[in-house]
Amino acid sequence: MNHFAKLITAFSLILIYACQEGEETYNYVAISEEDTPEMIIEKATHVVPTEKQLDWQQNEFIAFIHFGVNTFTAREWGTGKESPSIFNPTEFDARQWAKTMKAAGMKMAMITAKHHDGFCLWPSRYTEHSVKNSPWKNGKGDVLKALSEACQEFGLKLGIYLSPADLHEIEREGGYYGNGSQRTLRTIPSGTEHQTSVSRTFKYQLTDYDTYFMDQLYETLTEYGPIHEVWFDGANPKPGTSQTYNYDAWYSMIRALQPEAVIAIKGPDVRWCGNEAGHTRSDEWSVVPLNEHPDESSFKDATANDLGSREKLKSAKYLYWYPAETNTSIRHGWFYRDEEQYVKSVTELVDTWFRSVGGNTVFLLNLTPDRRGLIPDIDAGRLTELGRIIEDTFDENLINNNVAEVISDVPNVTDLKNTIDANPDTYWIPENGNEAATLTYKLSKPVTFNRVVIQEYIKEKGQRIEKFEVDIWDGIEWKLVAESTTVGYKRILRFPAVNTDQFRIRILESRVAPTISNLGLYMGEELLDLPSISRSKEGMVTIQCATPDPIIYYTLDGSAPSQSNTRYTGSFELKSPGVIRAKAFTSDHSKSTETVTEFFDIIKDGWKIVAASKPAKGFEPEKAIDDNISTMWHTPWTNVKKSHPHEITVDMNDNHILKGFTYQPRTDGNISGTIKSYEFQVSRDGKNWHTVNRGAFDNIKNNPILQEVKFTKPVSARFFRFISKTGVVGEAWLSVAEIGVITK
Ligand code: FUL
């Protein structure tokens, strides 16, 4: 890290000290060999967010926007060789994006100003690979500018995703990426003309590509108003080049030009949650161990389930405030593909919102503008509905003006009423050493609620609570309604509605002494669980719903189901390809879910494995064609005798016209054995084979969802052979939950 950046860090630390009363706090702390486990835990409670991190956390819900050449090619990762001429949204309207984000309750829009393909959504001076050479608005358009203006109009913040990996600069003749250039002293922005037109310049030791990247960073940070988050993706579709990045220079220039911006992922302020599926941890700690000083850290992806428990902190060299951001996409995939692409239901979105915002993370939900340049209508409708549900839920805190008395079973340092005064800057804390405490709230009138919000005073006291329960008084005895673990910035608990005039929060375990800055009781809309439709290998369809006693109606003709359609009473047969649409109702029909749509292709009954690479015990190749995504074919991963290629040859028992194939990676949350590159062959007679497709599954490592590969033209075949070429993390074995064909 250079001197300037160090100075800034030191300065922000001084600022943090200055605004504290009493105990010393810091953004990170070193652990020494003499520290006992108790001393480490005590130190952890003094690690607090910087002002920037706290402001960012309070956004709660923000938007990612993936838009670019991939929107027009239906790819997840571009090649860098796309022609700018394909970028031509027909009805581009950033105000529609902003309006939708606002309706969803989002606070910021973070756009892929440049994705891995290198195409820039603003007319950068430093490349020809941008909107300026596209037909869109005759090359006069600027997506970033339009978005920045729309955000300002609708009161949204703006964030920038700028991909460090840049395939265009790899592929282009004379491209900068990995060109072997040495670091020398360069001025940013480069180009005398640009330098003379700006008030600030910076000097760093940079390679050619670093210079190019920083010039683009400079443009995006200086010409589009305030920027509140900069997102550096660690992913690189072509790893293994000699290109290095001078991250310290990037960080120091961001700090100087946009002091309010947090730097995320490959950066010091915000941590990737560790998956792209919207999974959240049951215990999300914002203080995590680091093996090196934060200034020296490379901020490796942390995907483990437990990152910050007492056990994890024990062996830390440093403790660091590094809060998590949950990022996932509203559709399957990060970019718009087509109208068949899966769009998450309101129920799923609401659920992820509660788990992420109410699980001590910020929810970064990705939106996928389509080829018109608009957020697709169906997505916009669901986002608006999501926003309405959240707003209605938190409209009124039922605790407000309704507490007659608060009682604590431990000696308190600050007032118990601070937990209900709706002031985020006041808090309750008991005397040090009271790691358990029960706070009982007597209400002046009974209330009905099904959500409890609890917040710690992280600003000065960090994160402390490890386990707590909520009980209500039912007139005779205390009844447990919800239990949970960590809290941090915010924990939201959901449970079936209860009615009471007394409840208590029982903090069972905490670090040193717990704090509560805010408590809330709310009554939120209860959503029915969506029906899930599955079909067995033999063609028997089952529709299930987790909600008790649902009434389910379904259709087989593609129309939206209603009460006049067939009522589901038990499994039924669907042997040919088809679409099933189902909808669940409460028993009194007063409420219903959204429609769930499932496409099924030909059944796999009668399919035979002709040949396959040797499996590990219990992971036979038949499991790749059993129409059950919870089982898998897996080749041995210990005493590995043979690496890729592995292959499976299947006889479909009949000739079919194949339009493509599908690969479902394992679904148990582990990616080991997931295939990165492959070849797909077909045959009519099982003797003469030809290759119809070979390639790689883009972004499968971070987002291991169903892969659907369409062929350039349909082929007729009875046999297919799927060959793996490489594993996603370079492993020698493979895992396949399911392999299928597309005929419709
Ligand atoms: C990943 C990228 O490779 C994806 O394309 C997407 O941008 C996601 C947010 O990050 O690492």
Side-chain angles (χ1 to χ4, degrees):
M1 177 168 245
N2 70 19
H3 292 308
F4 182 67
K6 281 220 166 92
L7 250 174
I8 296 260
T9 314
F11 183 61
S12 49
L13 276 178
I14 293 166
L15 267 186
I16 294 170
Y17 287 128
C19 59
Q20 307 304 320
E21 288 171 18
E23 288 167 337
E24 190 187 41
T25 59
Y26 22 73
N27 182 239
Y28 71 90
V29 65
I31 301 300
S32 76
E33 280 180 9
E34 287 78 57
D35 287 341
T36 62
E38 291 73 35
M39 286 157 79
I40 296 176
I41 294 305
E42 152 84 30
K43 278 187 169 178
T45 63
H46 296 263
V47 180
V48 302
T50 59
E51 213 177 311
K52 261 197 288 286
Q53 286 174 317
L54 189 59
D55 285 348
W56 164 85
Q57 188 95 48
Q58 285 163 346
N59 290 324
E60 297 194 350
F61 185 29
I62 61 182
F64 224 164
I65 299 172
H66 276 65
F67 189 51
V69 282
N70 295 347
T71 311
F72 296 86
T73 56
R75 293 183 66 122
E76 273 297 292
W77 282 350
T79 60
K81 296 186 208 155
E82 290 83 4
S83 160
S85 67
I86 63 172
F87 185 85
N88 197 9
T90 48
E91 296 169 47
F92 174 84
D93 182 7
R95 293 185 74 254
Q96 185 255 5
W97 304 3
K99 218 188 271 176
T100 309
M101 292 185 274
K102 192 76 186 170
M106 295 164 144
K107 300 283 160 40
M108 186 184 341
M110 183 139 48
I111 182 150
T112 53
K114 176 181 92 166
H115 203 248
H116 307 329
D117 51 73
F119 183 79
C120 299
L121 293 181
W122 79 100
S124 171
R125 298 167 181 78
Y126 299 96
T127 181
E128 292 306 307
H129 201 53
S130 85
V131 281
K132 76 182 175 201
N133 287 320
S134 78
W136 178 56
K137 296 194 166 176
N138 292 321
K140 298 280 177 289
D142 184 340
V143 175
L144 207 49
K145 181 146 183 279
L147 180 61
S148 145
E149 285 170 3
C151 283
Q152 281 177 22
E153 181 185 338
F154 286 86
L156 295 163
K157 296 173 184 168
L158 183 65
I160 303 280
Y161 168 112
L162 203 63
S163 170
D166 189 322
L167 294 177
H168 186 68
E169 286 304 314
I170 294 180
E171 301 295 348
R172 176 176 76 83
E173 175 88 30
Y176 298 130
Y177 200 96
N179 70 356
S181 59
Q182 296 302 307
R183 283 189 183 174
T184 54
L185 192 67
R186 323 266 182 125
T187 304
I188 304 294
S190 57
T192 21
E193 215 172 282
H194 194 190
Q195 280 161 15
T196 48
S197 69
V198 297
S199 56
R200 284 185 86 164
T201 58
F202 298 84
K203 285 194 187 320
Y204 300 108
Q205 291 286 335
L206 302 172
T207 61
D208 290 352
Y209 180 72
D210 253 334
T211 310
Y212 174 74
F213 188 80
M214 289 197 75
D215 278 335
Q216 297 197 323
L217 196 55
Y218 189 95
E219 291 180 318
T220 56
L221 295 177
T222 54
E223 293 171 35
Y224 297 93
I227 303 294
H228 281 90
E229 182 162 347
V230 182
W231 221 86
F232 292 136
D233 198 331
N236 189 340
K238 280 217 173 154
T241 71
S242 59
Q243 185 62 51
T244 58
Y245 307 134
N246 187 347
Y247 280 115
D248 287 346
W250 304 4
Y251 301 161
S252 92
M253 191 172 81
I254 297 168
R255 296 290 195 230
L257 291 174
Q258 293 282 354
E260 293 192 358
V262 289
I263 309 172
I265 317 307
K266 287 284 161 230
D269 303 321
V270 171
R271 166 169 58 89
W272 180 45
C273 65
N275 68 86
E276 295 183 356
H279 297 151
T280 46
R281 293 184 175 82
S282 57
D283 301 25
E284 188 62 81
W285 288 101
S286 292
V287 174
V288 293
L290 283 186
N291 277 333
E292 57 293 285
H293 187 281
D295 289 352
E296 313 297 331
S297 176
S298 57
F299 301 109
K300 286 213 185 73
D301 293 344
T303 55
N305 203 26
D306 175 9
L307 295 179
S309 68
R310 287 183 188 236
E311 195 51 36
K312 291 284 160 189
L313 300 194
K314 257 205 256 165
S315 45
K317 301 234 166 45
Y318 291 86
L319 301 180
Y320 187 48
W321 188 272
Y322 202 27
E325 184 171 72
T326 303
N327 69 323
T328 193
S329 183
I330 189 167
R331 292 190 165 225
H332 266 182
W334 290 96
F335 287 88
Y336 176 84
R337 198 176 62 217
D338 53 39
E339 282 313 307
E340 279 167 28
Q341 188 180 13
Y342 182 75
V343 186
K344 289 186 181 148
S345 64
V346 174
T347 315
E348 288 169 283
L349 295 173
V350 168
D351 180 59
T352 314
W353 188 97
F354 272 99
R355 283 186 291 99
S356 54
V357 176
N360 193 34
T361 77
V362 165
F363 184 16
L364 172 64
L365 175 64
N366 180 60
L367 313 183
T368 61
D370 56 20
R371 293 194 260 284
R372 296 172 305 167
L374 299 175
I375 292 170
D377 307 351
I378 171 160
D379 310 38
R382 290 184 187 183
L383 289 160
T384 306
E385 180 62 2
L386 164 71
R388 185 199 60 76
I389 291 171
I390 301 303
E391 200 178 313
D392 284 358
T393 302
F394 297 104
D395 204 22
E396 190 193 353
N397 184 352
L398 300 164
I399 221 171
N400 282 352
N401 310 317
N402 191 21
V403 176
E405 198 185 352
V406 194
I407 305 158
S408 157
D409 67 343
V410 293
N412 306 296
V413 178
T414 57
D415 200 330
L416 289 160
K417 290 257 166 67
N418 290 349
T419 58
I420 49 167
D421 65 358
N423 180 350
D425 286 319
T426 61
Y427 60 99
W428 158 79
I429 190 167
E431 281 177 7
N432 254 3
N434 288 294
E435 293 170 15
T438 298
L439 305 190
T440 306
Y441 293 78
K442 296 191 171 175
L443 306 175
S444 27
K445 59 172 191 304
V447 290
T448 305
F449 59 96
N450 60 2
R451 313 276 181 255
V452 167
V453 172
I454 172 166
Q455 295 187 272
E456 286 183 73
Y457 189 60
I458 57 170
K459 184 174 172 184
E460 291 178 14
K461 300 290 172 190
Q463 189 179 351
R464 298 170 173 224
I465 298 175
E466 292 169 313
K467 199 172 175 194
F468 72 102
E469 292 179 355
V470 179
D471 299 334
I472 58 151
W473 182 251
D474 71 356
I476 299 164
E477 57 181 356
W478 288 106
K479 266 176 74 181
L480 175 75
V481 292
E483 54 193 328
S484 190
T485 54
T486 52
V487 174
Y489 168 71
K490 191 177 263 190
R491 170 70 84 171
I492 309 176
L493 302 173
R494 289 176 289 171
F495 43 87
V498 292
N499 178 275
T500 188
D501 61 358
Q502 245 187 87
F503 72 96
R504 63 183 191 188
I505 306 286
R506 298 207 302 135
I507 298 171
L508 303 171
E509 284 166 32
S510 134
R511 295 176 176 178
V512 185
T515 73
I516 298 180
S517 98
N518 180 40
L519 260 187
L521 306 183
Y522 299 93
M523 186 60 210
E525 193 167 318
E526 288 174 350
L527 296 175
L528 282 170
D529 276 307
L530 289 173
S532 75
I533 313 171
S534 56
R535 189 181 68 169
S536 71
K537 186 173 176 173
E538 294 75 30
M540 292 308 287
V541 176
T542 313
I543 311 181
Q544 283 169 313
C545 187
T547 309
D549 308 322
I551 299 179
I552 300 170
Y553 296 94
Y554 68 91
T555 64
L556 296 173
D557 62 1
S559 64
S562 70
Q563 292 169 41
S564 58
N565 292 112
T566 319
R567 182 168 164 183
Y568 176 79
T569 49
S571 30
F572 60 90
E573 205 176 80
L574 178 75
K575 287 198 182 247
S576 49
V579 54
I580 302 177
R581 307 193 76 194
K583 192 175 177 131
F585 291 76
T586 49
S587 50
D588 63 358
H589 286 99
S590 63
K591 267 195 200 168
S592 62
T593 63
E594 295 156 285
T595 299
V596 171
T597 307
E598 212 60 71
F599 296 93
F600 293 101
D601 216 292
I602 52 173
I603 52 166
K604 295 177 180 171
D605 202 22
W607 284 22
K608 276 191 209 69
I609 310 256
V610 178
S613 304
K614 193 175 164 283
K617 201 162 176 287
F619 296 95
E620 292 68 33
E622 285 71 21
K623 298 198 163 129
I625 54 164
D626 63 356
D627 258 330
N628 179 353
I629 60 168
S630 328
T631 62
M632 60 178 151
W633 166 41
H634 204 310
T635 60
W637 60 92
T638 51
N639 296 323
V640 183
K641 304 245 159 41
K642 193 187 165 297
S643 181
H644 298 278
H646 299 297
E647 56 183 65
I648 186 168
T649 305
V650 177
D651 175 0
M652 295 182 287
N653 201 23
D654 211 347
N655 252 319
H656 294 285
I657 305 292
L658 306 187
K659 294 187 174 159
F661 77 95
T662 60
Y663 165 50
Q664 170 66 56
R666 61 192 291 178
T667 56
D668 60 354
N670 190 328
I671 56 158
S672 182
T674 298
I675 299 163
K676 176 69 195 175
S677 55
Y678 64 84
E679 183 170 333
F680 196 88
Q681 301 178 342
V682 294
S683 165
R684 280 162 171 270
D685 54 11
K687 292 188 194 91
N688 299 297
W689 290 88
H690 82 275
T691 298
V692 272
N693 193 282
R694 58 164 69 87
F697 300 117
D698 296 343
N699 202 30
I700 196 169
K701 181 167 166 226
N702 285 336
N703 203 13
I705 55 175
L706 178 75
Q707 308 289 310
E708 295 172 283
V709 177
K710 301 259 174 76
F711 304 147
T712 39
K713 56 176 197 299
V715 287
S716 163
R718 168 171 167 167
F719 300 84
F720 70 80
R721 181 178 290 151
F722 178 57
I723 307 167
S724 70
K725 293 293 177 69
T726 52
V728 76
V729 286
E731 68 276 57
W733 52 91
L734 67 64
S735 59
V736 174
E738 208 62 33
I739 185 99
V741 293
I742 304 174
T743 67
K744 287 292 151 208

